[in-house]
Amino acid sequence: MMSCILEVKNLHKSYQNFKAVDDISFHVNKGDIYGFLGPNGAGKSTTLRMILGLIKPDSGLIQLDGERVDYSNKKYLNQIGALIERPDFYKNLSAYENLKILYRMSKLKDIRIIDDVLNEVDLLDRKKDKVGGYSQGMKQRLGIAQALMHQPSLIILDEPSNGLDPQGQADMRELILKINTERRITVVISSHILAEIEKISNRMIVINKGRKVAEGEVNQLMSSDSIKIQIKTDSHTAIENYCNTHQIPFTNENESYYLQWEEAKINELIKSLNSENISLYEVRQLKTLEEYFLNLTN
């Protein structure tokens, strides 16, 4: 059984009348590359910032290695490295000089860690070059280097491939896989690009408008045997009661409900819903994660 390193339960965050994060729950196992997928503005960055203590949630629970996160004591952050949005460094200083400032601020003990992390992200031969002359991909890799400085057990990467060309995106994926397999660091990676999460993650969550709409093993979600059903109805209470009674996981958006169901039993489901006098406007099966994602986040 996999050991859980990060658990989030019923997380809420609102700004006046806007619900940025609405009752999100998920867990990350040790060794995962866990994808955090959703369109821009879905609540990904807000959730990750709450995990890092940069934003305080309105309610909910965050646990790291089974211990509840205490915002009054930031020692838990010693276990986490992070790259949130684009990294920001002193452009007139070299990569080594930038990391040396972070080294001193973090009160680390072994100066050799700087060369170690620069070598990890393939920047050791450019360590004396000023960051102002770095490409966007090099800056992103330097951002990951600083996240590795204190040898965390978990790193959180928020849209690490933003602004990179296809080769840069491929290099970033290769680096993340290397960190995960060789350093045995658990990775949470957010993105609005489905293909990026598909290629690198073993488990994932999909969120939209601050709410969770799907979670599970990427291979299972991508399997042709894992059929997603979209049902349009105005019998909201009746279908929710039906799903709860029959223990069918569901999400809803406007007048559509999304269920995971066996393809061979779709007709049985329709007959059963009709027998409960649940009006059905449309029933569609969504075979791919991409179609499922696009329909959920349209």
Side-chain angles (χ1 to χ4, degrees), residues 208-248:
N208 187 40
K209 297 180 181 178
R211 301 189 68 185
K212 178 171 75 173
V213 294
E215 183 185 16
E217 301 282 339
V218 172
N219 289 340
Q220 185 179 27
L221 291 172
M222 287 301 299
S223 170
S224 60
D225 296 328
S226 181
I227 302 300
K228 291 84 182 177
I229 307 298
Q230 178 187 14
I231 296 174
K232 291 187 178 181
T233 178
D234 61 0
S235 304
H236 304 293
T237 301
I239 195 169
E240 289 177 15
N241 288 339
Y242 180 92
C243 289
N244 289 328
T245 299
H246 293 82
Q247 297 183 329
I248 303 171

